[in-house]
Amino acid sequence: MLVEARILAGEVAILDGLSLTFSAGPPTVLIGPNGAGKTTLLRAAMGLLPLTSGRVTWGGREQAAPDRRAILFQRPAMLRRSAAGNVRYALAAAGVPRAQRAARIEELLALVGLEKFAARPARRLSGGEQQRLALARALARNPALLLLDEPAASLDPAATKAIEDIVRAVAARGVKVVMSTHDLGQAKRLAGDVVLLHRGRLLEHTPAAQFFAQPRTQEARKFIAGELLV
Amino acid sequence: MPGDVSAFDLVLSGDPGLYAIVRLSLLVSLSAVLFAALIGVPAGALLALTRFRGREAVIVVLNAMMGLPPVVVGLAIFLLLSRSGPLGSWGLLFTPQAMVIAQTVLVAPIIAALTRQTIEDLWVEYREELAAMNIGPARRVATLVWDARFSLVTALLAGFGRAAAEVGAIIVVGGNIEGFTRTMTTAIALETSKGDLPLAIGLGIVLISIVILINALAWGARRAGERYAG
Ligand SMILES: Nc1ncnc2c1ncn2[C@@H]1O[C@H](COP(=O)(O)OP(=O)(O)OP(=O)(O)O)[C@@H](O)[C@H]1O
Ligand SMILES: [Mg+2]
């Protein structure tokens, strides 16, 4: 849960007075125009950005951030290793015993459809393949909270469907997924609840069905209708 | 030109005096690069990954030290090792060890400065991913040095090129004693001034060939490595 979170870059607030609770259940989907603050919110939830004011609490306690958090960045960086090497590194970092790593690597690469590329240098993979590899790396941490920043942004329809299936499967196992997207169809397909951000402020946080049927705010109506939010 | 013919004759006939000179040159320069790497790589990595007051100044000075005049380094080491100097009791002046020390001092800043740049660039790329994987400081350094290893070869090569080519430092602290501290560069300087051009030219050919050979080997190693790790 974020309470009155505020993040300043110099004088400018990139997140402002934002309070938000992620409750267990189906994925929470963040939407909003470019620069709304989706990435900033996800990075703050991952603990990568200090809040200027406000606080982040986990189950009521401020300190006990779950260790088992993972994030898929909007533009993931590939380690200069093979695809399998990237996953192996994440497994090692998560403390998975050496003896179990090979089997997990195979399993994770198959899950994201990259089993044929295990030995390929990760930086030689295509953009979409890199994104799927980064998802495998995030899943290697066996997270309780999985943050995904536009996980399907550069994927073809088949890969997008594969990612959505993975998200559903992971969420069904009890993993809390919080993801951003610009694809309203995807939001409809996956979201339990929708968060609409605009200029660092939270405009709306409602159950998905309600969000798409009866948006509360003028901006949400515009956004769903595909109008420009300025 | 008759000089050329006798230079090649000298090289091809395997003149023992010439080979002793070549052997010592390689031994001194390669030892210096080894010691400089042991100092420069950790120092460069540390400088890349820590933030402290005056860091920028340290970087500027370090970069400037890449261009230290060899003769001045030789002079400084000479003063340290001379009988009345602080390390005079070691009795190292005019020995190959003194030459290794002088070249280490000359090469370490080059390796440190290039390592700093390489590791810092890679860190900018890896930073958030490593933070998201909860990688501690020790493992971070290990990861960055390992993943940058093929680029670091270039730093070592630059150091070797500098050591193999310089004459000012080793002639001051080594004294160019025949059969003991005479190297290719000091011999070339001496023979040229004495007018024995065939030997000078022969040594020049050998020196350039060795530098090209070592660069070719390192280049091949780097290409092979990149093919494997991206
Ligand atoms: N380090 C920073 N310094 C200054 N401004 C920043 C910084 N990081 C982000 N911003 C600004 O904060 C705003 C929100 O950025 P953020 O990346 O969170 O947007 P986003 O919702 O993820 O957008 P997109 O849909 O384009 O990914 C943007 O206007 C951005 O320029
Ligand atoms: Mg973003």
Side-chain angles (χ1 to χ4, degrees):
Chain A
M1 177 160 105
L2 288 156
V3 184
E4 285 294 315
R6 187 177 164 84
I7 294 178
L8 296 176
E11 297 285 285
V12 188
I14 17 186
L15 277 189
D16 204 358
L18 185 136
S19 297
L20 188 58
T21 306
F22 302 133
S23 38
T28 299
V29 174
L30 309 176
I31 59 174
N34 289 140
K38 304 179 294 296
T39 296
T40 306
L41 173 58
L42 290 171
R43 290 173 67 220
M46 189 66 198
L48 296 172
L49 268 187
L51 302 185
T52 310
S53 65
R55 60 211 162 84
V56 187
T57 62
W58 304 97
R61 285 158 303 156
E62 196 152 351
Q63 274 77 28
D67 210 26
R68 286 171 44 218
R69 270 182 294 180
I71 187 167
L72 166 61
F73 291 107
Q74 193 167 354
R75 280 189 300 268
M78 295 291 112
L79 303 182
R80 294 180 187 192
R81 298 162 190 236
S82 64
N86 268 265
V87 178
R88 184 178 300 112
Y89 188 87
L91 289 167
V96 174
R98 203 175 284 271
Q100 299 170 18
R101 287 180 204 160
R104 288 281 285 144
I105 292 169
E106 217 170 299
E107 191 184 314
L108 286 162
L109 287 179
L111 184 67
V112 297
L114 290 177
E115 62 273 42
K116 281 201 302 251
F117 298 128
R120 178 90 62 91
R123 287 148 60 96
R124 302 268 170 81
L125 296 173
S126 80
E129 289 158 358
Q130 291 191 357
Q131 209 158 3
R132 284 187 273 154
L133 179 58
L135 177 63
R137 232 168 35 185
L139 291 171
R141 300 188 65 73
N142 190 21
L145 172 64
L146 179 60
L147 307 165
L148 307 174
D149 200 356
E150 303 191 25
S154 48
L155 301 186
D156 62 38
T160 302
K161 175 160 187 318
I163 296 285
E164 290 183 7
D165 289 344
I166 293 171
V167 168
R168 261 187 228 104
V170 169
R173 283 205 327 246
V175 176
K176 179 62 195 178
V177 176
V178 179
M179 59 180 281
S180 69
T181 184
H182 286 297
D183 179 348
L184 291 178
Q186 183 170 69
K188 265 185 205 163
R189 289 191 294 275
L190 293 178
D193 51 332
V194 174
V195 173
L196 175 62
L197 293 177
H198 183 39
R199 294 188 183 167
R201 293 181 169 278
L202 185 144
L203 290 185
E204 192 151 344
H205 182 192
T206 40
Q210 186 189 332
F211 180 84
F212 289 106
Q214 314 152 311
R216 270 190 329 203
T217 57
Q218 178 70 28
E219 286 89 344
R221 270 192 292 278
K222 277 190 176 171
F223 192 75
I224 294 167
E227 286 174 40
L228 228 49
L229 272 193
V230 283
Chain B
M1 225 164 81
D4 277 10
V5 175
S6 16
F8 277 111
D9 283 351
L10 263 178
V11 175
L12 294 177
S13 66
D15 181 78
L18 188 140
Y19 278 94
I21 290 175
V22 171
R23 228 184 52 116
L24 180 70
S25 297
L26 282 180
L27 204 61
V28 168
S29 293
L30 288 175
S31 312
V33 169
L34 176 70
F35 291 125
L38 290 176
I39 301 164
V41 170
L46 197 71
L47 189 56
L49 301 177
T50 52
R51 295 291 174 271
F52 53 88
R53 274 186 54 174
R55 174 174 178 273
E56 311 248 314
V58 172
I59 291 174
V60 170
V61 170
L62 186 62
N63 286 343
M65 281 171 69
M66 292 210 285
L68 278 180
V71 188
V72 176
V73 171
L75 176 62
I77 301 298
F78 180 92
L79 293 175
L80 276 178
L81 296 180
S82 70
R83 195 153 311 180
S84 52
L87 305 178
S89 56
W90 293 5
L92 289 181
L93 198 60
F94 304 132
T95 64
Q97 287 91 320
M99 295 153 73
V100 171
I101 294 173
Q103 290 203 334
T104 300
V105 171
L106 203 59
V107 170
I110 296 178
I111 293 180
L114 295 178
T115 298
R116 201 273 309 163
Q117 187 67 56
T118 303
I119 297 286
E120 200 166 321
D121 289 348
L122 194 60
W123 192 34
V124 168
E125 205 180 310
Y126 278 17
R127 180 180 215 146
E128 291 227 294
E129 298 284 0
L130 297 192
M133 289 191 261
N134 259 327
I135 303 297
R139 194 169 201 165
R140 178 191 314 152
V141 177
T143 300
L144 290 167
V145 171
W146 178 251
D147 282 20
R149 63 197 181 282
F150 300 116
S151 313
L152 293 181
V153 167
T154 311
L156 300 192
L157 276 185
F160 175 75
R162 174 88 157 149
E166 76 89 16
V167 55
I170 43 175
I171 209 164
V172 171
V173 302
N176 197 19
I177 302 164
E178 185 166 11
F180 185 47
T181 60
R182 183 159 299 175
T183 66
M184 288 187 271
T185 55
T186 59
I188 291 171
L190 178 73
E191 300 307 333
T192 304
S193 64
K194 281 197 328 202
D196 185 354
L197 293 183
L199 183 55
I201 294 171
L203 285 167
I205 293 169
V206 173
L207 179 55
I208 289 173
S209 309
I210 287 173
V211 169
I212 290 176
L213 181 71
I214 289 195
N215 273 276
L217 287 176
W219 194 74
R222 189 181 162 154
R223 279 298 294 267
E226 280 174 348
R227 210 168 307 128
Y228 150 82

